[in-house]
Amino acid sequence: MENSLVGERTIAFSIAQEILTTSVNIPTIPANGTKIIAIVRQPIDNIDIPRFVKLVESDPGLYTRILQLANSPFYAEIDKIVSLRAAITRIGLVEIVSSVCLHFFKKMLPKFPDIEGFSYDDFWSYSWACAIANRRLGHPNLGMEVLPGELYMTGMLHGVGKLLMAIHNPHQFSLCLKKARELKLPLHQVEKDVFGTTDALVAAAVLNSWNLPPTICQGVAFHQMPELAPPEHIQIAGLTQFAYVIAGMSGHGCNGDGMNMDLAATYLGQLPNLKFSEPEVQEQLV
């Protein structure tokens, strides 16, 4: 198994290098992106609000997006929101930070043409659902030692490899999606047969090139197989797998899988000493 993983990671690195140097126009993370990531990773109580406000106000696109959100029908009241501080008061800091992070990566990463059963909008809807679920799993009552902000980032970026492979090799990736649906198999299992590696390992190689924290990179790399993660990253990989399954149950977006895993079959769901293995806890979390 270890030799197989080494081979898969080598192939993933090679595909990531091809993507970064030839087929996909991915810019390096700008300075404001590095700062946004650093803020999102922090515990919410530690965020320097004046510094965060200044950062968002320096980016007209982000600033406009947040004001649009605050004045949307979901949040709108009688008074129109015209400042970021007022938007934070109305929506809440957690949701503002999450929205800024989502908008930043959607703007930064390229679009891919819709493939049968897998669209660009569905991809980001699912990524958002996984990110929200993952952040919730960082609640102290669940006994995990992973920051909710890092869980959010890992959940949102877990599927970046799918986006990149859909652009880099749309024909073969489309065949993977079709085969997974027809045979009712996990997509990453089919990807191993077709590409020799998985979208998660490709994503991790790209995220590593952006100098993202190892916790996030490894959480993404092993969310499909937490049991193979390095010991220090098993928790974040297992939690992201758990969040991935919850997102699939939510009805938001599409993950491309041909099989919906049960929570009891996840890595954490099979550990009897954890709350995640208790059916009533699983039900409450969903």
Side-chain angles (χ1 to χ4, degrees), residues 67-261:
L67 293 187
Q68 289 174 340
L69 180 63
N71 289 299
S72 68
F74 187 79
Y75 289 107
E77 298 175 5
I78 295 175
D79 299 328
K80 183 178 180 180
I81 293 293
V82 295
S83 74
L84 187 59
R85 286 184 178 274
I88 290 173
T89 300
R90 176 172 291 181
I91 300 175
L93 184 59
V94 171
E95 298 306 328
I96 291 287
V97 170
S98 298
S99 296
V100 165
C101 188
L102 176 62
H103 180 73
F104 169 78
F105 279 105
K106 284 187 71 173
K107 183 176 70 169
M108 177 182 165
L109 290 165
K111 290 186 176 182
F112 63 85
D114 288 354
I115 299 172
E116 184 181 354
F118 193 71
S119 73
Y120 177 80
D121 288 340
D122 278 344
F123 165 80
W124 279 112
S125 291
Y126 195 92
S127 298
W128 170 83
C130 187
I132 294 297
N134 217 17
R135 185 179 65 196
R136 298 283 186 183
L137 298 181
H139 194 284
N141 288 348
L142 292 171
M144 297 288 104
E145 298 177 357
V146 185
L147 291 174
E150 293 203 334
L151 287 167
Y152 180 86
M153 287 287 300
T154 306
M156 189 177 66
L157 297 174
H158 81 277
V160 164
K162 295 175 184 176
L163 180 152
L164 298 176
M165 291 169 81
I167 299 171
H168 176 64
N169 202 326
H171 176 67
Q172 282 189 293
F173 186 68
S174 178
L175 290 178
C176 288
L177 292 168
K178 183 179 180 182
K179 185 175 179 181
R181 285 196 307 269
E182 290 176 349
L183 300 180
K184 296 184 179 179
L185 292 172
L187 179 61
H188 71 272
Q189 184 176 322
V190 178
E191 289 172 343
K192 287 183 183 181
D193 294 336
V194 175
F195 292 103
T197 190
T198 68
D199 65 86
L201 291 174
V202 171
V206 172
L207 299 180
N208 187 59
S209 75
W210 292 346
N211 294 317
L212 291 191
T215 305
I216 294 172
C217 294
Q218 295 301 303
V220 168
F222 291 98
H223 80 274
Q224 297 160 335
M225 43 188 178
E227 65 280 0
L228 299 182
E232 65 273 25
H233 300 304
I234 283 181
Q235 277 198 9
I236 193 165
L239 288 166
T240 305
Q241 181 192 47
F242 207 87
Y244 181 87
V245 175
I246 290 178
M249 300 168 71
S250 74
H252 288 284
C254 173
N255 59 17
D257 266 331
M259 182 192 80
N260 294 321
M261 180 182 283

Side-chain angles (χ1 to χ4, degrees), residues 13-61:
F13 180 79
S14 176
I15 292 175
Q17 289 300 108
E18 289 180 21
I19 288 171
L20 291 169
T21 58
T22 59
S23 66
V24 184
N25 184 23
I26 301 179
T28 56
I29 292 184
N32 70 329
T34 303
K35 294 174 182 176
I36 287 171
I37 291 168
I39 287 174
V40 173
R41 292 178 62 210
Q42 295 180 55
I44 204 70
D45 294 338
N46 292 355
I47 291 177
D48 184 333
I49 295 178
R51 183 183 175 198
F52 175 64
V53 168
K54 185 177 180 180
L55 175 63
V56 174
E57 288 177 341
S58 69
D59 187 317

